Amino acid sequence: MQEHLQPLLASAELRAVADTIKDYAIFLLDSEGVVLTWNTGAQRIKGYTPDDVIGQSFTRFYSDEDRADRRPQQHLEVAAREGRIEVEGWRVRKDGSRFWADVVISPIYGQGGEVQGFVKLTRDLTERRRIDEQLRQSEERLRLMIENVKDYAIFLLDPDGRITSWNIGAARINGYSADEVVGRHVSIFYTPEEIAEGRPQRNLAEAAANGRATDEGWRVRKDGSRYFASVVMTAFRDPEGKLRGFAKVTQDVTSKQVERQRLLELEQSKSTFLNLVAHELRTPLTVLRGYLSLFRDLDENARRGLEAKSLPALEAKTQEMSRLVDQMVEVARLEEGSLRIRTERFDLGTVTEQSVEMTRALDDPIHRIIFEPFAQELNVVGDDDRVRIILGNLLSNAMKFSPTGGDITVTLDRVAGFGQVTVVDQGVGIKLENQIKLFNRYTRFERDDTQHVPGTGMGLYLSRELARRQGGDLRLLWSGPGGSAFALKVPLARA
């Protein structure tokens, strides 16, 4: 049938036009797929000269796999039947290298409607395919990364704020599966109070206006529980600037928020503590200044008389200031990690008796301190100076919270590998709601009878920490309207 294609083959003008096109391979095939013409673009793309291919079957441009599958014949059949075929696939150059081709084959019909040949147009899309493949792989990696991030909820919203995607982290943090949330409005994660205030809409509007919005606040999971969220919402737009939706990243920072709140409360407690320390130091200093002023204004005989009367009070106030300063130093060492505990063998009975006698000397005769010694030496291992601090705090608290004339009983015992000192008072007791925070830093409680009790709120905290640093413990045994009992445990020394 090649004779029917002669007008096309003989057209110098048509060949000249085809030859000017270098980015497309444009050539004619007869009805069997034999190459009849060859333009400059075909030579550039495929590497064959006209002499190499004219008169040859176009199947040589296909891979061995495609030829085995009769792909070239199928393409001609489809083009003849449907009037056109466009396909993409790998093709082979003269040197054996492959390129990704976009191919259009159109039939040429005779006067009777029979197929006389084909026009074949081929474009080399290798570079475009490489870029598309890189983009696809990049998008796939990004999708997989987002879908598998577990510590962040990362999802997309449409311009109205409805959820269009959902990752593993979102499911883990919020408790919803993708099927349960896709299509729903983002406000389902907000608290009823924030919904009433219009916060979801404000966040969307801010992101749309500024390109980005950040927020922190409580959010609601599927089960109704709340968590503290850090949220970044970013608007994305098409090249024309039209809003296409939002990307939303949410992190559960509940633990961080709790820690921030704890630090805030601690700072507030420290501020209160410093005010209390200033107040507690001011009282004994005022007494000391008063006595010093009296001493300056008296003659020698009067001074001797005043000295005999005032010396116990001066010693008590000095001891009170000394204990307060010691506590401040010990707490500072604890918090900066520089506290060093000695580990030595000593008799817990002797140290306890010394602490009782010192307290009696300062307190007499307001309270009666009953000391019940152990039947034998109670040798323990620890820091005897720190044990004295603990016992001093326990006895001081027992006096502060006990009525005038109330008994304070101190007993010694051996309990399951520990030497134990128990201090029992007849005070007003500690309310149940206060017992759980009794050993917190800078925590103070007033007596139930509303009488003011001096103190800084660090004695019990410091005492328990010192006890535990020695391998022991300090705990409240019981407390009620009739008094309280505290037990200090120090590890027993090996025989």
Side-chain angles (χ1 to χ4, degrees):
M1 293 191 181
Q2 185 169 327
E3 62 274 11
H4 298 290
L5 299 176
Q6 286 304 319
L8 289 173
L9 298 173
S11 173
E13 183 179 348
L14 183 60
R15 289 201 307 273
V17 171
D19 281 340
T20 62
I21 300 174
K22 297 181 180 181
D23 293 330
Y24 293 83
I26 304 174
F27 52 97
L28 294 178
L29 306 175
D30 69 11
S31 59
E32 301 301 321
V34 174
V35 178
L36 301 177
T37 65
W38 198 245
N39 79 324
T40 304
Q43 182 171 338
R44 187 186 68 81
I45 293 173
K46 298 176 182 286
Y48 292 96
T49 66
D51 292 339
D52 293 327
V53 295
I54 291 177
Q56 303 294 319
S57 175
F58 85 118
T59 58
R60 67 167 51 198
F61 310 133
Y62 286 76
S63 66
D64 292 339
E65 309 92 82
D66 284 347
R67 285 199 298 269
D69 291 339
R70 296 189 74 256
R71 195 67 55 83
Q73 291 79 8
Q74 293 170 7
H75 290 170
L76 293 182
E77 291 169 3
V78 172
R81 183 174 64 251
E82 299 183 4
R84 182 180 185 274
I85 185 173
E86 182 172 4
V87 293
E88 288 191 7
W90 290 109
R91 296 294 182 267
V92 183
R93 295 188 179 94
K94 180 181 179 180
D95 62 7
S97 62
R98 296 192 178 195
F99 67 98
W100 188 261
D102 174 58
V103 178
V104 179
I105 302 176
S106 301
I108 301 171
Y109 298 104
Q111 293 182 353
E114 73 282 4
V115 174
Q116 297 179 342
F118 300 90
V119 177
K120 191 168 184 286
L121 185 148
T122 302
R123 284 191 298 162
D124 181 355
L125 299 182
T126 307
E127 181 63 17
R128 192 193 76 177
R129 187 176 189 276
R130 184 187 67 79
I131 295 172
D132 289 346
E133 181 63 17
Q134 287 181 340
L135 180 61
R136 186 194 67 76
Q137 291 179 0
S138 177
E139 290 175 345
E140 179 67 8
R141 286 194 295 267
L142 179 62
R143 182 187 66 79
L144 290 173
M145 181 189 73
I146 291 174
E147 286 183 355
N148 289 280
V149 169
K150 297 180 180 179
D151 295 330
Y152 293 83
I154 305 174
F155 53 98
L156 300 178
L157 309 174
D158 69 14
D160 296 323
R162 299 192 178 279
I163 300 163
T164 59
S165 73
W166 196 244
N167 79 324
I168 291 175
R172 187 185 68 81
I173 291 172
N174 293 287
Y176 293 94
S177 68
D179 292 340
E180 292 173 316
V181 295
V182 171
R184 299 180 68 180
H185 196 269
V186 70
S187 59
I188 64 170
F189 309 126
Y190 287 73
T191 64
E193 310 90 78
E194 291 179 332
I195 292 174
E197 294 171 0
R199 192 165 185 172
Q201 288 73 21
R202 285 203 307 272
N203 288 347
L204 290 168
E206 181 183 348
N210 302 325
R212 185 173 183 270
T214 60
D215 189 22
E216 284 193 349
W218 292 103
R219 296 293 184 268
V220 183
R221 296 187 177 93
K222 178 184 175 181
D223 62 7
S225 62
R226 296 190 178 193
Y227 67 97
F228 200 84
S230 174
V231 180
V232 178
M233 189 183 297
T234 305
F236 56 90
R237 299 176 180 273
D238 62 19
E240 287 71 39
K242 184 178 179 181
L243 180 66
R244 291 300 184 184
F246 304 89
K248 193 167 186 284
V249 180
T250 301
Q251 184 182 13
D252 181 353
V253 293
T254 306
S255 59
K256 294 180 182 178
Q257 173 63 13
V258 170
E259 179 63 14
R260 283 200 297 263
Q261 187 63 32
R262 188 190 68 81
L263 291 174
L264 177 61
E265 292 174 355
L266 181 59
E267 288 301 318
Q268 293 171 342
S269 298
K270 283 183 177 180
S271 178
T272 303
F273 162 71
L274 291 174
N275 290 331
L276 286 169
V277 168
H279 175 75
E280 298 300 326
L281 282 174
R282 192 177 293 115
T283 300
L285 281 173
T286 300
V287 174
L288 291 174
R289 287 196 189 100
Y291 277 111
L292 288 173
S293 178
L294 284 173
F295 276 119
R296 280 196 299 268
D297 297 335
L298 296 176
D299 58 32
E300 187 174 345
N301 290 332
R303 286 180 182 177
R304 280 197 293 270
L306 180 61
E307 182 179 319
K309 296 178 181 179
S310 62
L311 189 57
L314 289 172
E315 288 178 344
K317 294 301 178 184
T318 302
Q319 191 66 31
E320 183 181 339
M321 290 179 62
S322 177
R323 184 171 65 249
L324 183 59
V325 171
D326 287 344
Q327 286 183 347
M328 291 175 63
V329 171
E330 292 288 83
V331 168
R333 287 172 176 166
L334 270 175
E335 295 192 345
E336 68 182 18
S338 64
L339 183 69
R340 299 290 181 267
I341 298 290
R342 288 187 292 109
T343 303
E344 297 179 355
R345 183 188 182 104
F346 64 92
D347 178 23
L348 183 60
T350 300
V351 170
T352 303
E353 186 175 10
Q354 291 171 352
S355 299
V356 168
E357 290 304 321
M358 182 176 293
T359 304
R360 281 175 177 161
L362 297 174
D363 183 61
D364 186 61
I366 299 176
H367 299 90
R368 186 173 65 148
I369 303 178
I370 303 169
F371 175 59
E372 299 177 359
F374 198 59
Q376 58 192 33
E377 281 191 353
L378 198 56
N379 291 317
V380 296
V381 175
D383 190 326
D384 59 338
D385 287 337
R386 268 46 186 265
V387 170
R388 288 186 178 89
I389 291 175
I390 297 168
L391 292 174
N393 284 332
L394 292 178
L395 292 168
S396 175
N397 283 345
M399 291 186 297
K400 290 175 185 177
F401 289 91
S402 294
T404 301
D407 289 347
I408 298 169
T409 304
V410 181
T411 59
L412 288 164
D413 200 357
R414 188 192 301 266
V415 179
F418 293 91
Q420 179 169 295
V421 183
T422 304
V423 179
V424 181
D425 64 50
Q426 295 179 331
V428 295
I430 304 165
K431 292 179 179 179
L432 186 61
E433 62 266 27
N434 290 334
Q435 291 181 22
I436 60 174
K437 49 187 176 181
L438 190 62
F439 294 97
N440 291 355
R441 279 180 288 189
Y442 316 130
T443 300
R444 296 182 69 253
F445 308 109
E446 296 297 330
R447 282 172 41 163
D448 288 350
D449 57 9
T450 69
Q451 180 177 333
H452 172 70
V453 179
T456 60
M458 66 179 175
L460 287 177
Y461 159 71
L462 173 63
S463 296
R464 187 173 68 171
E465 289 297 316
L466 292 177
R468 290 181 172 178
R469 297 295 176 93
Q470 298 178 69
D473 201 3
L474 174 64
R475 61 193 182 95
L476 174 68
L477 295 179
W478 53 264
S479 186
S484 303
F486 287 85
L488 166 65
K489 296 166 71 174
V490 184
L492 286 171
R494 294 180 180 178

PDB file of all heavy atoms in Angstrom, residues 440-451:
ATOM      1  N   ASN A 440       6.343  18.132 101.757  1.00  0.00           N
ATOM      2  CA  ASN A 440       6.663  18.969 100.605  1.00  0.00           C
ATOM      3  C   ASN A 440       7.512  20.158 101.030  1.00  0.00           C
ATOM      4  O   ASN A 440       7.452  20.623 102.168  1.00  0.00           O
ATOM      5  CB  ASN A 440       5.395  19.475  99.921  1.00  0.00           C
ATOM      6  CG  ASN A 440       4.633  18.364  99.236  1.00  0.00           C
ATOM      7  OD1 ASN A 440       5.086  17.228  99.187  1.00  0.00           O
ATOM      8  ND2 ASN A 440       3.456  18.675  98.718  1.00  0.00           N
ATOM      9  N   ARG A 441       8.270  20.668 100.058  1.00  0.00           N
ATOM     10  CA  ARG A 441       9.104  21.843 100.361  1.00  0.00           C
ATOM     11  C   ARG A 441       8.264  23.070 100.665  1.00  0.00           C
ATOM     12  O   ARG A 441       7.267  23.334  99.993  1.00  0.00           O
ATOM     13  CB  ARG A 441      10.007  22.150  99.161  1.00  0.00           C
ATOM     14  CG  ARG A 441      11.231  21.295  99.082  1.00  0.00           C
ATOM     15  CD  ARG A 441      12.069  21.634  97.889  1.00  0.00           C
ATOM     16  NE  ARG A 441      11.460  21.181  96.651  1.00  0.00           N
ATOM     17  CZ  ARG A 441      12.073  21.195  95.483  1.00  0.00           C
ATOM     18  NH1 ARG A 441      13.299  21.646  95.394  1.00  0.00           N
ATOM     19  NH2 ARG A 441      11.464  20.758  94.409  1.00  0.00           N
ATOM     20  N   TYR A 442       8.678  23.808 101.683  1.00  0.00           N
ATOM     21  CA  TYR A 442       8.113  25.118 102.021  1.00  0.00           C
ATOM     22  C   TYR A 442       6.613  25.045 102.333  1.00  0.00           C
ATOM     23  O   TYR A 442       5.876  25.996 102.102  1.00  0.00           O
ATOM     24  CB  TYR A 442       8.348  26.133 100.900  1.00  0.00           C
ATOM     25  CG  TYR A 442       9.744  26.103 100.335  1.00  0.00           C
ATOM     26  CD1 TYR A 442       9.963  26.033  98.965  1.00  0.00           C
ATOM     27  CD2 TYR A 442      10.856  26.120 101.174  1.00  0.00           C
ATOM     28  CE1 TYR A 442      11.254  25.994  98.442  1.00  0.00           C
ATOM     29  CE2 TYR A 442      12.136  26.077 100.659  1.00  0.00           C
ATOM     30  CZ  TYR A 442      12.327  26.011  99.300  1.00  0.00           C
ATOM     31  OH  TYR A 442      13.588  25.973  98.793  1.00  0.00           O
ATOM     32  N   THR A 443       6.169  23.896 102.849  1.00  0.00           N
ATOM     33  CA  THR A 443       4.746  23.751 103.178  1.00  0.00           C
ATOM     34  C   THR A 443       4.547  23.980 104.668  1.00  0.00           C
ATOM     35  O   THR A 443       5.192  23.324 105.495  1.00  0.00           O
ATOM     36  CB  THR A 443       4.242  22.344 102.801  1.00  0.00           C
ATOM     37  OG1 THR A 443       4.420  22.165 101.394  1.00  0.00           O
ATOM     38  CG2 THR A 443       2.770  22.190 103.137  1.00  0.00           C
ATOM     39  N   ARG A 444       3.672  24.904 104.985  1.00  0.00           N
ATOM     40  CA  ARG A 444       3.385  25.215 106.391  1.00  0.00           C
ATOM     41  C   ARG A 444       1.903  25.028 106.664  1.00  0.00           C
ATOM     42  O   ARG A 444       1.056  25.240 105.796  1.00  0.00           O
ATOM     43  CB  ARG A 444       3.759  26.658 106.735  1.00  0.00           C
ATOM     44  CG  ARG A 444       5.240  26.962 106.627  1.00  0.00           C
ATOM     45  CD  ARG A 444       5.526  28.411 107.023  1.00  0.00           C
ATOM     46  NE  ARG A 444       5.314  28.627 108.446  1.00  0.00           N
ATOM     47  CZ  ARG A 444       4.281  29.287 108.978  1.00  0.00           C
ATOM     48  NH1 ARG A 444       3.333  29.776 108.210  1.00  0.00           N
ATOM     49  NH2 ARG A 444       4.184  29.466 110.277  1.00  0.00           N
ATOM     50  N   PHE A 445       1.583  24.642 107.900  1.00  0.00           N
ATOM     51  CA  PHE A 445       0.190  24.504 108.338  1.00  0.00           C
ATOM     52  C   PHE A 445       0.026  25.204 109.676  1.00  0.00           C
ATOM     53  O   PHE A 445       0.901  25.125 110.546  1.00  0.00           O
ATOM     54  CB  PHE A 445      -0.197  23.020 108.495  1.00  0.00           C
ATOM     55  CG  PHE A 445       0.093  22.182 107.297  1.00  0.00           C
ATOM     56  CD1 PHE A 445       1.102  21.240 107.302  1.00  0.00           C
ATOM     57  CD2 PHE A 445      -0.642  22.356 106.130  1.00  0.00           C
ATOM     58  CE1 PHE A 445       1.378  20.469 106.189  1.00  0.00           C
ATOM     59  CE2 PHE A 445      -0.379  21.593 105.006  1.00  0.00           C
ATOM     60  CZ  PHE A 445       0.630  20.660 105.035  1.00  0.00           C
ATOM     61  N   GLU A 446      -1.086  25.881 109.831  1.00  0.00           N
ATOM     62  CA  GLU A 446      -1.402  26.504 111.113  1.00  0.00           C
ATOM     63  C   GLU A 446      -2.067  25.489 112.033  1.00  0.00           C
ATOM     64  O   GLU A 446      -2.646  24.503 111.585  1.00  0.00           O
ATOM     65  CB  GLU A 446      -2.321  27.714 110.907  1.00  0.00           C
ATOM     66  CG  GLU A 446      -1.690  28.853 110.120  1.00  0.00           C
ATOM     67  CD  GLU A 446      -0.485  29.457 110.810  1.00  0.00           C
ATOM     68  OE1 GLU A 446      -0.446  29.448 112.055  1.00  0.00           O
ATOM     69  OE2 GLU A 446       0.431  29.922 110.102  1.00  0.00           O
ATOM     70  N   ARG A 447      -1.979  25.723 113.320  1.00  0.00           N
ATOM     71  CA  ARG A 447      -2.671  24.852 114.264  1.00  0.00           C
ATOM     72  C   ARG A 447      -4.173  25.013 114.109  1.00  0.00           C
ATOM     73  O   ARG A 447      -4.675  26.063 113.726  1.00  0.00           O
ATOM     74  CB  ARG A 447      -2.265  25.206 115.698  1.00  0.00           C
ATOM     75  CG  ARG A 447      -0.919  24.661 116.056  1.00  0.00           C
ATOM     76  CD  ARG A 447      -0.377  25.133 117.377  1.00  0.00           C
ATOM     77  NE  ARG A 447      -1.371  25.202 118.451  1.00  0.00           N
ATOM     78  CZ  ARG A 447      -1.047  25.263 119.739  1.00  0.00           C
ATOM     79  NH1 ARG A 447       0.228  25.206 120.093  1.00  0.00           N
ATOM     80  NH2 ARG A 447      -1.970  25.370 120.668  1.00  0.00           N
ATOM     81  N   ASP A 448      -4.886  23.923 114.407  1.00  0.00           N
ATOM     82  CA  ASP A 448      -6.346  23.958 114.253  1.00  0.00           C
ATOM     83  C   ASP A 448      -7.015  24.940 115.200  1.00  0.00           C
ATOM     84  O   ASP A 448      -8.143  25.363 114.972  1.00  0.00           O
ATOM     85  CB  ASP A 448      -6.934  22.562 114.469  1.00  0.00           C
ATOM     86  CG  ASP A 448      -6.614  21.638 113.300  1.00  0.00           C
ATOM     87  OD1 ASP A 448      -6.126  22.148 112.286  1.00  0.00           O
ATOM     88  OD2 ASP A 448      -6.854  20.424 113.422  1.00  0.00           O
ATOM     89  N   ASP A 449      -6.296  25.293 116.260  1.00  0.00           N
ATOM     90  CA  ASP A 449      -6.894  26.257 117.194  1.00  0.00           C
ATOM     91  C   ASP A 449      -6.599  27.693 116.768  1.00  0.00           C
ATOM     92  O   ASP A 449      -6.791  28.628 117.531  1.00  0.00           O
ATOM     93  CB  ASP A 449      -6.393  26.008 118.622  1.00  0.00           C
ATOM     94  CG  ASP A 449      -4.867  26.078 118.719  1.00  0.00           C
ATOM     95  OD1 ASP A 449      -4.226  26.494 117.724  1.00  0.00           O
ATOM     96  OD2 ASP A 449      -4.320  25.724 119.785  1.00  0.00           O
ATOM     97  N   THR A 450      -6.124  27.850 115.529  1.00  0.00           N
ATOM     98  CA  THR A 450      -5.851  29.143 114.881  1.00  0.00           C
ATOM     99  C   THR A 450      -4.694  29.900 115.514  1.00  0.00           C
ATOM    100  O   THR A 450      -4.397  31.022 115.113  1.00  0.00           O
ATOM    101  CB  THR A 450      -7.099  30.075 114.875  1.00  0.00           C
ATOM    102  OG1 THR A 450      -7.378  30.491 116.217  1.00  0.00           O
ATOM    103  CG2 THR A 450      -8.290  29.371 114.276  1.00  0.00           C
ATOM    104  N   GLN A 451      -4.007  29.316 116.477  1.00  0.00           N
ATOM    105  CA  GLN A 451      -2.848  29.972 117.059  1.00  0.00           C
ATOM    106  C   GLN A 451      -1.705  29.978 116.045  1.00  0.00           C
ATOM    107  O   GLN A 451      -1.427  28.962 115.417  1.00  0.00           O
ATOM    108  CB  GLN A 451      -2.421  29.245 118.338  1.00  0.00           C
ATOM    109  CG  GLN A 451      -1.196  29.879 119.011  1.00  0.00           C
ATOM    110  CD  GLN A 451      -0.849  29.163 120.307  1.00  0.00           C
ATOM    111  OE1 GLN A 451      -1.731  28.591 120.940  1.00  0.00           O
ATOM    112  NE2 GLN A 451       0.412  29.193 120.681  1.00  0.00           N
TER     113      GLN A 451
END
